Amino acid sequence: MALEESVKADVILIGSFQCTVYANDIDLILIYKIPDYEKIKELKKILARAVYEKFKILVHYTTLSKSEYEEMKDLQKEKNSILFIYK
C-alpha cells in the first residue's frame, strides 16, 4: 500500500517561511485520517529530507487527527498554505 494511502494526511504550511526567505525552519501541520503512527513517522522523515535538501532548514511538525484539527479554531485562523490535501 502506498504511503499516502496508509495515512491519508493533509499537509499545511504555517509560520514565517510563508513570508520570508530568512526563516529558521519550516512549520508543517500533518492532519491524518488513519492513525498509523509508524507510517506517519515515515512520512515525516520523507518530508524533512526533501525540505532539507531543497532549503537546508529543519521541519517542525504539529501532528493532529482530522477531528483534533477541526477543534483547534485558533490554529485554523493562522495564515497557512495548503501543500497537499488527500482526496
Side-chain angles (χ1 to χ4, degrees):
M1 180 182 301
L3 184 57
E4 61 268 11
E5 288 292 320
S6 300
V7 178
K8 297 185 178 179
D10 302 338
V11 182
I12 299 175
L13 172 68
I14 60 172
S16 62
F17 186 80
Q18 298 174 88
C19 51
T20 180
V21 294
Y22 302 108
N24 294 323
D25 61 21
I26 293 179
D27 298 297
L28 297 177
I29 302 173
L30 293 178
I31 305 165
Y32 62 87
K33 295 173 181 75
I34 298 176
D36 185 331
Y37 302 110
E38 289 302 313
K39 295 294 183 180
I40 291 170
K41 282 173 48 177
E42 186 179 339
L43 177 60
K44 287 178 177 182
K45 286 180 186 177
I46 290 168
L47 290 170
R49 189 176 326 121
V51 166
Y52 192 80
E53 286 175 6
K54 175 76 175 173
F55 302 105
K56 303 294 187 239
I57 59 177
L58 300 176
V59 177
H60 292 156
Y61 294 101
T62 300
T63 307
L64 303 166
S65 68
K66 185 172 176 63
S67 61
E68 288 171 327
Y69 180 71
E70 289 172 354
E71 290 174 10
M72 300 188 77
K73 302 298 183 199
D74 289 340
L75 187 59
Q76 293 176 36
K77 291 177 186 175
E78 278 195 44
K79 180 180 179 187
N80 65 62
S81 300
I82 297 171
L83 300 180
F84 179 82
I85 295 290
Y86 182 86
K87 303 266 178 188

Coordinates of all heavy atoms in Angstrom, one line a residue:
M1 N 0.9 -1.2 0.0 CA 0.0 0.0 0.0 C 0.9 1.2 0.0 O 1.9 1.3 0.7 CB -0.9 0.0 1.2 CG -1.8 1.2 1.3 SD -2.9 1.3 2.8 CE -3.8 -0.2 2.7
A2 N 0.6 2.2 -0.8 CA 1.3 3.5 -0.9 C 1.2 4.2 0.4 O 0.2 4.1 1.2 CB 0.8 4.3 -2.0
L3 N 2.3 5.0 0.7 CA 2.4 5.7 2.0 C 1.2 6.6 2.1 O 0.5 6.7 3.2 CB 3.7 6.5 2.1 CG 3.9 7.3 3.4 CD1 3.9 6.3 4.6 CD2 5.3 8.0 3.3
E4 N 0.8 7.4 1.1 CA -0.3 8.3 1.2 C -1.6 7.6 1.5 O -2.5 8.1 2.1 CB -0.4 9.2 0.0 CG -0.6 8.5 -1.3 CD 0.6 8.2 -2.1 OE1 1.7 8.3 -1.5 OE2 0.5 7.8 -3.3
E5 N -1.8 6.4 1.0 CA -3.0 5.6 1.3 C -3.0 5.1 2.8 O -4.0 4.9 3.3 CB -3.1 4.4 0.4 CG -3.4 4.8 -1.1 CD -4.9 5.3 -1.2 OE1 -5.8 4.8 -0.5 OE2 -5.1 6.2 -1.9
S6 N -1.8 4.9 3.3 CA -1.7 4.3 4.7 C -2.0 5.4 5.7 O -2.4 5.0 6.8 CB -0.2 3.8 4.9 OG 0.1 2.8 4.0
V7 N -1.8 6.6 5.4 CA -2.0 7.7 6.4 C -3.2 8.6 6.0 O -3.9 9.1 6.9 CB -0.7 8.6 6.5 CG1 -0.9 9.7 7.5 CG2 0.4 7.7 6.9
K8 N -3.3 8.9 4.7 CA -4.4 9.8 4.2 C -4.2 11.2 4.9 O -5.2 11.6 5.5 CB -5.8 9.2 4.3 CG -6.0 8.0 3.5 CD -7.4 7.5 3.6 CE -7.6 6.2 2.7 NZ -8.9 5.7 2.8
A9 N -3.1 11.8 4.8 CA -2.8 13.0 5.5 C -2.8 14.2 4.6 O -2.4 14.2 3.5 CB -1.4 12.9 6.2
D10 N -3.3 15.3 5.2 CA -3.2 16.6 4.5 C -2.0 17.3 5.1 O -1.6 17.0 6.3 CB -4.4 17.5 4.9 CG -5.8 16.9 4.4 OD1 -5.8 16.0 3.6 OD2 -6.8 17.3 5.0
V11 N -1.3 18.1 4.3 CA -0.1 18.8 4.8 C -0.3 20.3 4.6 O -0.6 20.8 3.5 CB 1.1 18.4 4.0 CG1 2.4 19.1 4.6 CG2 1.3 16.9 4.1
I12 N -0.2 21.1 5.7 CA -0.4 22.5 5.7 C 0.8 23.2 6.2 O 1.4 22.9 7.2 CB -1.7 22.9 6.5 CG1 -2.9 22.2 6.0 CG2 -1.8 24.4 6.6 CD1 -4.2 22.4 6.8
L13 N 1.2 24.2 5.4 CA 2.4 25.1 5.8 C 1.9 26.2 6.6 O 0.9 26.9 6.3 CB 3.1 25.6 4.6 CG 4.2 26.6 4.7 CD1 5.4 26.0 5.4 CD2 4.6 27.2 3.4
I14 N 2.5 26.5 7.8 CA 2.2 27.6 8.6 C 3.5 28.3 9.0 O 4.6 27.8 8.7 CB 1.4 27.3 9.9 CG1 2.2 26.3 10.8 CG2 0.1 26.7 9.6 CD1 1.6 26.1 12.2
G15 N 3.5 29.4 9.6 CA 4.7 30.1 10.1 C 5.4 31.0 9.2 O 4.9 31.3 8.1
S16 N 6.5 31.5 9.6 CA 7.2 32.6 8.9 C 7.8 32.2 7.5 O 8.1 33.1 6.7 CB 8.4 33.1 9.8 OG 9.3 32.0 10.0
F17 N 8.0 30.9 7.3 CA 8.5 30.5 6.0 C 7.7 31.0 4.8 O 8.1 31.3 3.7 CB 8.7 29.0 5.9 CG 9.4 28.5 4.6 CD1 10.7 28.6 4.6 CD2 8.6 28.0 3.6 CE1 11.4 28.2 3.4 CE2 9.3 27.6 2.4 CZ 10.7 27.7 2.3
Q18 N 6.4 31.3 5.1 CA 5.5 31.7 4.0 C 5.7 33.2 3.6 O 5.4 33.5 2.5 CB 4.0 31.7 4.6 CG 3.6 30.3 4.9 CD 2.2 30.3 5.5 OE1 1.2 30.3 4.8 NE2 2.2 30.4 6.8
C19 N 6.4 33.9 4.4 CA 6.5 35.4 4.1 C 8.0 35.9 4.1 O 8.2 37.1 4.0 CB 5.6 36.2 5.0 SG 5.8 35.9 6.8
T20 N 8.9 35.0 4.4 CA 10.3 35.5 4.4 C 11.3 34.4 3.9 O 11.0 33.2 4.1 CB 10.8 35.9 5.8 OG1 12.1 36.4 5.7 CG2 10.7 34.8 6.8
V21 N 12.3 34.8 3.2 CA 13.3 33.8 2.8 C 14.3 33.5 3.9 O 15.2 32.7 3.7 CB 14.0 34.2 1.5 CG1 13.1 34.3 0.3 CG2 14.7 35.6 1.7
Y22 N 14.2 34.2 5.0 CA 15.2 34.1 6.1 C 14.6 33.3 7.3 O 15.1 33.4 8.4 CB 15.6 35.4 6.6 CG 16.2 36.3 5.5 CD1 15.6 37.3 4.9 CD2 17.5 35.9 5.0 CE1 16.1 38.1 3.9 CE2 18.0 36.6 3.9 CZ 17.4 37.7 3.4 OH 17.9 38.4 2.4
A23 N 13.7 32.4 7.1 CA 13.1 31.6 8.1 C 14.1 30.6 8.7 O 15.0 30.1 7.9 CB 11.9 30.8 7.6
N24 N 14.0 30.3 9.9 CA 14.9 29.3 10.6 C 14.5 27.9 10.4 O 15.2 27.0 10.6 CB 15.1 29.6 12.1 CG 15.8 31.0 12.3 OD1 16.7 31.3 11.5 ND2 15.3 31.7 13.3
D25 N 13.2 27.7 10.1 CA 12.6 26.4 10.0 C 11.3 26.5 9.2 O 10.9 27.6 8.8 CB 12.4 25.7 11.3 CG 11.4 26.5 12.2 OD1 10.6 27.3 11.6 OD2 11.4 26.3 13.4
I26 N 10.8 25.3 8.9 CA 9.5 25.2 8.2 C 8.6 24.6 9.2 O 8.9 23.5 9.7 CB 9.6 24.5 6.9 CG1 10.5 25.3 5.9 CG2 8.2 24.1 6.3 CD1 10.7 24.6 4.6
D27 N 7.4 25.1 9.4 CA 6.4 24.6 10.3 C 5.3 24.0 9.4 O 4.6 24.6 8.6 CB 5.8 25.7 11.2 CG 6.9 26.3 12.1 OD1 7.4 25.5 12.9 OD2 7.2 27.5 11.9
L28 N 5.1 22.7 9.6 CA 4.0 21.9 8.9 C 3.0 21.3 9.9 O 3.4 20.9 10.9 CB 4.6 20.8 8.1 CG 5.6 21.2 7.0 CD1 6.1 19.9 6.3 CD2 4.9 22.1 5.9
I29 N 1.8 21.3 9.4 CA 0.7 20.6 10.2 C 0.4 19.4 9.3 O 0.1 19.5 8.1 CB -0.5 21.5 10.3 CG1 -0.3 22.8 11.1 CG2 -1.6 20.6 11.1 CD1 -1.5 23.7 11.1
L30 N 0.5 18.2 9.9 CA 0.0 17.0 9.3 C -1.3 16.6 9.9 O -1.4 16.5 11.1 CB 1.0 15.8 9.6 CG 2.4 16.0 8.9 CD1 3.2 14.8 9.3 CD2 2.3 16.0 7.4
I31 N -2.3 16.5 9.1 CA -3.6 16.1 9.6 C -4.0 14.8 9.0 O -4.2 14.6 7.8 CB -4.7 17.2 9.1 CG1 -4.3 18.6 9.5 CG2 -6.1 16.8 9.6 CD1 -5.0 19.7 8.9
Y32 N -3.9 13.8 9.9 CA -4.0 12.4 9.4 C -5.5 11.9 9.5 O -6.2 12.3 10.4 CB -3.1 11.4 10.1 CG -3.3 11.3 11.6 CD1 -4.2 10.4 12.1 CD2 -2.6 12.2 12.4 CE1 -4.4 10.4 13.5 CE2 -2.7 12.1 13.8 CZ -3.6 11.2 14.3 OH -3.8 11.1 15.7
K33 N -5.9 11.0 8.6 CA -7.2 10.4 8.7 C -7.1 9.0 9.2 O -8.1 8.4 9.7 CB -7.8 10.5 7.3 CG -8.1 11.9 6.9 CD -8.6 12.0 5.5 CE -8.8 13.4 5.0 NZ -7.6 14.2 4.8
I34 N -5.9 8.3 9.1 CA -5.7 7.0 9.6 C -4.5 7.0 10.6 O -3.5 7.5 10.2 CB -5.4 6.0 8.4 CG1 -6.5 5.9 7.4 CG2 -5.0 4.6 9.0 CD1 -6.2 5.1 6.2
P35 N -4.8 6.6 11.8 CA -3.7 6.8 12.9 C -2.7 5.6 12.8 O -2.5 4.9 13.8 CB -4.5 6.7 14.2 CG -5.7 5.9 13.8 CD -6.0 6.2 12.4
D36 N -2.0 5.5 11.7 CA -0.9 4.6 11.6 C 0.4 5.3 11.9 O 1.0 5.9 11.1 CB -0.8 4.0 10.2 CG 0.2 2.9 10.0 OD1 1.2 2.9 10.8 OD2 0.0 2.0 9.2
Y37 N 0.8 5.3 13.2 CA 1.9 6.1 13.7 C 3.2 5.8 13.1 O 4.1 6.7 12.9 CB 1.9 6.1 15.2 CG 0.6 6.6 15.8 CD1 -0.3 5.7 16.4 CD2 0.2 7.9 15.6 CE1 -1.5 6.1 16.9 CE2 -1.0 8.3 16.1 CZ -1.9 7.4 16.7 OH -3.1 7.8 17.1
E38 N 3.5 4.5 12.7 CA 4.7 4.2 12.0 C 4.8 4.8 10.6 O 5.8 5.4 10.2 CB 4.9 2.7 11.9 CG 5.2 2.0 13.3 CD 6.5 2.6 13.9 OE1 7.5 2.8 13.2 OE2 6.4 2.9 15.1
K39 N 3.7 4.8 9.9 CA 3.6 5.4 8.6 C 3.7 7.0 8.7 O 4.2 7.6 7.8 CB 2.3 5.0 7.9 CG 2.2 3.5 7.6 CD 3.3 3.1 6.6 CE 3.2 1.7 6.2 NZ 4.2 1.2 5.3
I40 N 3.1 7.5 9.7 CA 3.2 9.0 9.9 C 4.6 9.4 10.2 O 5.1 10.3 9.6 CB 2.3 9.4 11.1 CG1 0.8 9.3 10.7 CG2 2.6 10.9 11.5 CD1 -0.2 9.4 11.9
K41 N 5.4 8.6 11.0 CA 6.8 8.9 11.2 C 7.6 8.8 9.9 O 8.4 9.6 9.6 CB 7.4 7.9 12.2 CG 7.0 8.2 13.6 CD 7.4 7.2 14.6 CE 8.8 6.7 14.5 NZ 9.2 5.7 15.5
E42 N 7.2 7.8 9.1 CA 7.9 7.6 7.8 C 7.6 8.8 6.9 O 8.5 9.3 6.2 CB 7.4 6.3 7.1 CG 8.1 6.0 5.8 CD 7.6 4.7 5.3 OE1 6.9 3.8 6.0 OE2 7.8 4.5 4.0
L43 N 6.4 9.3 6.9 CA 6.0 10.5 6.1 C 6.8 11.7 6.5 O 7.3 12.5 5.7 CB 4.5 10.7 6.2 CG 4.0 11.9 5.4 CD1 4.3 11.9 3.9 CD2 2.5 12.1 5.7
K44 N 6.9 11.9 7.8 CA 7.6 13.0 8.4 C 9.1 12.9 8.0 O 9.7 14.0 7.6 CB 7.6 13.0 9.9 CG 6.2 13.4 10.5 CD 6.3 13.3 12.0 CE 5.0 13.8 12.6 NZ 5.1 13.8 14.1
K45 N 9.7 11.8 8.0 CA 11.1 11.6 7.6 C 11.3 12.0 6.1 O 12.2 12.7 5.7 CB 11.6 10.2 7.8 CG 11.8 9.9 9.2 CD 12.3 8.5 9.4 CE 12.4 8.1 10.8 NZ 12.8 6.7 11.0
I46 N 10.4 11.5 5.3 CA 10.5 11.9 3.8 C 10.3 13.4 3.6 O 11.1 14.0 2.8 CB 9.4 11.1 3.0 CG1 9.7 9.6 3.0 CG2 9.2 11.6 1.6 CD1 8.6 8.7 2.6
L47 N 9.3 14.0 4.2 CA 9.2 15.4 4.1 C 10.4 16.2 4.6 O 10.8 17.1 4.0 CB 7.9 15.9 4.8 CG 6.6 15.4 4.2 CD1 5.4 15.7 5.1 CD2 6.3 16.1 2.9
A48 N 10.9 15.8 5.8 CA 12.0 16.5 6.4 C 13.2 16.4 5.5 O 14.0 17.4 5.3 CB 12.3 15.9 7.7
R49 N 13.5 15.3 4.9 CA 14.6 15.1 4.0 C 14.5 15.9 2.7 O 15.4 16.6 2.3 CB 14.7 13.6 3.6 CG 16.0 13.3 2.9 CD 16.2 11.8 2.6 NE 15.6 10.9 3.6 CZ 14.6 10.0 3.4 NH1 14.1 9.8 2.2 NH2 14.2 9.2 4.4
A50 N 13.3 15.9 2.2 CA 13.0 16.7 1.0 C 13.2 18.2 1.2 O 13.8 19.0 0.4 CB 11.6 16.4 0.4
V51 N 12.7 18.7 2.4 CA 12.8 20.1 2.7 C 14.2 20.5 2.9 O 14.7 21.5 2.5 CB 11.9 20.4 4.0 CG1 12.3 21.8 4.6 CG2 10.4 20.4 3.6
Y52 N 15.0 19.6 3.7 CA 16.4 19.9 3.9 C 17.2 20.0 2.7 O 18.0 20.8 2.5 CB 17.0 19.0 5.0 CG 18.3 19.5 5.5 CD1 18.3 20.4 6.5 CD2 19.5 19.0 4.9 CE1 19.5 21.0 6.9 CE2 20.7 19.5 5.3 CZ 20.7 20.5 6.3 OH 21.9 21.0 6.8
E53 N 16.9 19.0 1.8 CA 17.7 19.0 0.5 C 17.4 20.3 -0.3 O 18.3 20.8 -0.9 CB 17.3 17.8 -0.3 CG 17.9 16.5 0.2 CD 17.4 15.2 -0.5 OE1 16.7 15.4 -1.5 OE2 17.8 14.1 0.0
K54 N 16.2 20.8 -0.3 CA 15.9 21.9 -1.1 C 16.3 23.3 -0.4 O 16.8 24.2 -1.0 CB 14.3 21.9 -1.3 CG 13.8 23.1 -2.0 CD 14.1 23.1 -3.5 CE 13.4 24.2 -4.2 NZ 13.8 24.4 -5.5
F55 N 16.0 23.4 0.9 CA 16.1 24.7 1.6 C 17.2 24.7 2.7 O 17.5 25.8 3.3 CB 14.8 25.1 2.2 CG 13.7 25.2 1.2 CD1 12.7 24.3 1.2 CD2 13.6 26.3 0.4 CE1 11.6 24.4 0.2 CE2 12.6 26.4 -0.5 CZ 11.6 25.5 -0.6
K56 N 17.7 23.6 3.1 CA 18.8 23.5 4.1 C 18.3 24.0 5.5 O 19.0 24.6 6.2 CB 20.1 24.2 3.7 CG 20.6 23.8 2.4 CD 21.1 22.3 2.5 CE 21.9 21.9 1.2 NZ 21.3 20.8 0.6
I57 N 17.0 23.8 5.8 CA 16.5 24.1 7.1 C 15.6 22.9 7.6 O 15.2 22.1 6.8 CB 15.7 25.4 7.1 CG1 14.5 25.3 6.1 CG2 16.5 26.6 6.8 CD1 13.6 26.6 6.1
L58 N 15.4 22.9 8.9 CA 14.7 21.9 9.6 C 13.2 22.1 9.5 O 12.7 23.2 9.2 CB 15.1 21.8 11.0 CG 16.6 21.5 11.3 CD1 16.9 21.5 12.8 CD2 17.0 20.2 10.7
V59 N 12.4 21.0 9.7 CA 11.0 21.0 9.7 C 10.5 20.8 11.2 O 11.0 19.9 11.8 CB 10.4 19.9 8.8 CG1 8.9 19.9 8.9 CG2 10.9 20.1 7.4
H60 N 9.5 21.5 11.6 CA 8.8 21.3 12.8 C 7.4 20.9 12.5 O 6.8 21.5 11.6 CB 8.8 22.6 13.7 CG 10.1 22.9 14.2 ND1 10.4 24.2 14.6 CD2 11.2 22.2 14.5 CE1 11.7 24.2 15.0 NE2 12.2 23.0 14.9
Y61 N 6.9 19.9 13.2 CA 5.6 19.3 12.9 C 4.6 19.5 14.0 O 5.0 19.4 15.2 CB 5.7 17.8 12.6 CG 6.4 17.4 11.4 CD1 7.7 17.0 11.5 CD2 5.9 17.5 10.2 CE1 8.5 16.6 10.4 CE2 6.6 17.1 9.0 CZ 7.9 16.6 9.2 OH 8.6 16.3 8.1
T62 N 3.4 19.8 13.6 CA 2.2 19.6 14.5 C 1.4 18.5 13.8 O 1.1 18.6 12.7 CB 1.4 20.9 14.6 OG1 2.2 21.9 15.1 CG2 0.2 20.7 15.5
T63 N 1.2 17.4 14.6 CA 0.5 16.3 14.0 C -0.8 16.1 14.7 O -0.8 15.9 16.0 CB 1.4 15.0 14.2 OG1 2.7 15.3 13.6 CG2 0.8 13.8 13.4
L64 N -1.9 16.1 14.0 CA -3.2 16.1 14.5 C -4.1 15.1 13.7 O -3.9 15.0 12.5 CB -3.9 17.5 14.5 CG -3.1 18.6 15.2 CD1 -3.7 19.9 14.8 CD2 -3.2 18.4 16.7
S65 N -5.1 14.6 14.4 CA -6.1 13.8 13.7 C -7.0 14.9 13.0 O -7.0 16.1 13.4 CB -6.9 13.0 14.6 OG -7.7 13.7 15.5
K66 N -7.8 14.4 12.1 CA -8.8 15.4 11.5 C -9.7 16.0 12.5 O -9.9 17.2 12.5 CB -9.6 14.6 10.4 CG -10.5 15.5 9.6 CD -11.1 14.7 8.4 CE -12.0 15.5 7.6 NZ -11.5 16.7 7.0
S67 N -10.2 15.2 13.4 CA -11.1 15.8 14.4 C -10.4 16.8 15.4 O -11.0 17.8 15.8 CB -11.8 14.7 15.2 OG -10.9 13.9 15.9
E68 N -9.2 16.5 15.7 CA -8.4 17.4 16.6 C -8.2 18.7 15.9 O -8.3 19.8 16.5 CB -7.0 16.8 16.9 CG -7.1 15.7 17.9 CD -5.7 15.0 18.1 OE1 -5.0 14.9 17.1 OE2 -5.5 14.5 19.2
Y69 N -7.8 18.7 14.6 CA -7.6 19.9 13.8 C -8.9 20.7 13.7 O -8.9 21.9 13.9 CB -7.1 19.6 12.4 CG -6.8 20.8 11.6 CD1 -5.8 21.7 11.9 CD2 -7.7 21.2 10.5 CE1 -5.6 22.8 11.2 CE2 -7.4 22.3 9.8 CZ -6.4 23.1 10.1 OH -6.2 24.3 9.4
E70 N -10.0 20.1 13.5 CA -11.3 20.8 13.4 C -11.7 21.5 14.7 O -12.3 22.5 14.7 CB -12.4 19.8 13.0 CG -12.3 19.4 11.6 CD -13.2 18.2 11.2 OE1 -13.9 17.7 12.0 OE2 -13.2 17.9 10.0
E71 N -11.2 20.9 15.9 CA -11.5 21.5 17.2 C -10.6 22.7 17.5 O -10.9 23.6 18.3 CB -11.3 20.5 18.3 CG -12.3 19.4 18.3 CD -12.0 18.3 19.3 OE1 -11.1 18.5 20.1 OE2 -12.7 17.3 19.3
M72 N -9.5 22.9 16.8 CA -8.5 23.9 17.0 C -8.8 25.1 16.1 O -8.1 25.4 15.2 CB -7.1 23.4 16.9 CG -6.8 22.2 17.8 SD -5.1 21.7 17.8 CE -4.4 23.0 18.7
K73 N -9.7 25.9 16.5 CA -10.2 27.0 15.7 C -9.1 28.1 15.6 O -8.9 28.7 14.5 CB -11.4 27.7 16.3 CG -12.6 26.7 16.4 CD -13.1 26.2 15.1 CE -14.3 25.3 15.3 NZ -14.5 24.4 14.2
D74 N -8.3 28.4 16.6 CA -7.2 29.4 16.5 C -6.2 28.9 15.6 O -5.6 29.8 14.8 CB -6.6 29.6 17.9 CG -7.6 30.4 18.8 OD1 -8.5 31.0 18.3 OD2 -7.4 30.3 20.0
L75 N -5.8 27.7 15.5 CA -4.8 27.2 14.6 C -5.3 27.4 13.2 O -4.5 27.7 12.3 CB -4.5 25.7 14.9 CG -3.4 25.1 14.1 CD1 -2.1 25.8 14.4 CD2 -3.2 23.6 14.5
Q76 N -6.6 27.2 12.9 CA -7.1 27.3 11.6 C -7.1 28.8 11.1 O -7.1 29.0 9.9 CB -8.5 26.8 11.6 CG -8.6 25.3 11.8 CD -10.0 24.8 11.8 OE1 -10.9 25.3 11.1 NE2 -10.3 23.8 12.7
K77 N -7.1 29.7 12.1 CA -7.1 31.1 11.7 C -5.8 31.6 11.3 O -5.7 32.7 10.7 CB -7.7 31.9 12.9 CG -9.1 31.7 13.2 CD -9.5 32.5 14.4 CE -11.0 32.2 14.8 NZ -11.3 32.9 16.1
E78 N -4.7 30.9 11.7 CA -3.3 31.3 11.3 C -3.2 31.3 9.8 O -3.8 30.5 9.1 CB -2.3 30.4 11.9 CG -1.9 30.6 13.3 CD -0.7 29.9 13.7 OE1 0.3 29.9 12.9 OE2 -0.7 29.3 14.8
K79 N -2.3 32.2 9.3 CA -2.0 32.2 7.9 C -1.5 30.9 7.5 O -0.6 30.4 8.2 CB -1.0 33.3 7.6 CG -0.7 33.4 6.1 CD 0.3 34.5 5.8 CE 0.6 34.4 4.3 NZ 1.6 35.3 3.9
N80 N -2.0 30.3 6.5 CA -1.5 29.0 6.1 C -1.5 28.8 4.6 O -2.2 29.5 3.9 CB -2.2 27.8 6.8 CG -3.7 27.8 6.4 OD1 -4.0 27.5 5.3 ND2 -4.6 28.0 7.4
S81 N -0.8 27.8 4.1 CA -0.8 27.5 2.7 C -1.0 26.0 2.7 O -0.2 25.2 3.3 CB 0.6 27.8 2.1 OG 0.8 29.2 2.1
I82 N -2.0 25.5 2.0 CA -2.2 24.1 1.9 C -1.2 23.5 0.8 O -1.2 24.0 -0.3 CB -3.7 23.8 1.5 CG1 -4.6 24.3 2.6 CG2 -3.9 22.3 1.2 CD1 -6.1 24.3 2.2
L83 N -0.4 22.6 1.3 CA 0.5 22.0 0.4 C 0.0 20.7 -0.3 O 0.3 20.4 -1.4 CB 1.8 21.6 1.2 CG 2.5 22.8 1.8 CD1 3.8 22.3 2.5 CD2 2.9 23.9 0.8
F84 N -0.8 20.0 0.5 CA -1.3 18.7 -0.1 C -2.6 18.4 0.7 O -2.7 18.4 1.9 CB -0.3 17.6 0.1 CG -0.8 16.3 -0.3 CD1 -0.7 15.9 -1.7 CD2 -1.4 15.3 0.5 CE1 -1.1 14.7 -2.2 CE2 -1.8 14.1 0.1 CZ -1.7 13.8 -1.3
I85 N -3.7 18.0 -0.1 CA -4.9 17.6 0.5 C -5.1 16.2 0.0 O -5.2 16.0 -1.2 CB -6.1 18.5 0.1 CG1 -5.9 19.9 0.7 CG2 -7.4 17.9 0.5 CD1 -6.1 20.0 2.2
Y86 N -5.3 15.2 0.9 CA -5.6 13.9 0.4 C -7.1 13.8 0.0 O -7.9 14.2 0.8 CB -5.3 12.9 1.6 CG -5.6 11.5 1.1 CD1 -4.6 10.8 0.4 CD2 -6.9 10.9 1.3 CE1 -4.9 9.5 0.0 CE2 -7.1 9.6 0.8 CZ -6.1 8.9 0.1 OH -6.4 7.7 -0.4
K87 N -7.3 13.4 -1.2 CA -8.7 13.3 -1.7 C -9.2 11.9 -1.6 O -8.5 10.9 -1.8 CB -8.7 13.7 -3.2 CG -8.2 15.1 -3.4 CD -9.3 16.1 -3.3 CE -8.6 17.5 -3.5 NZ -9.4 18.6 -3.3

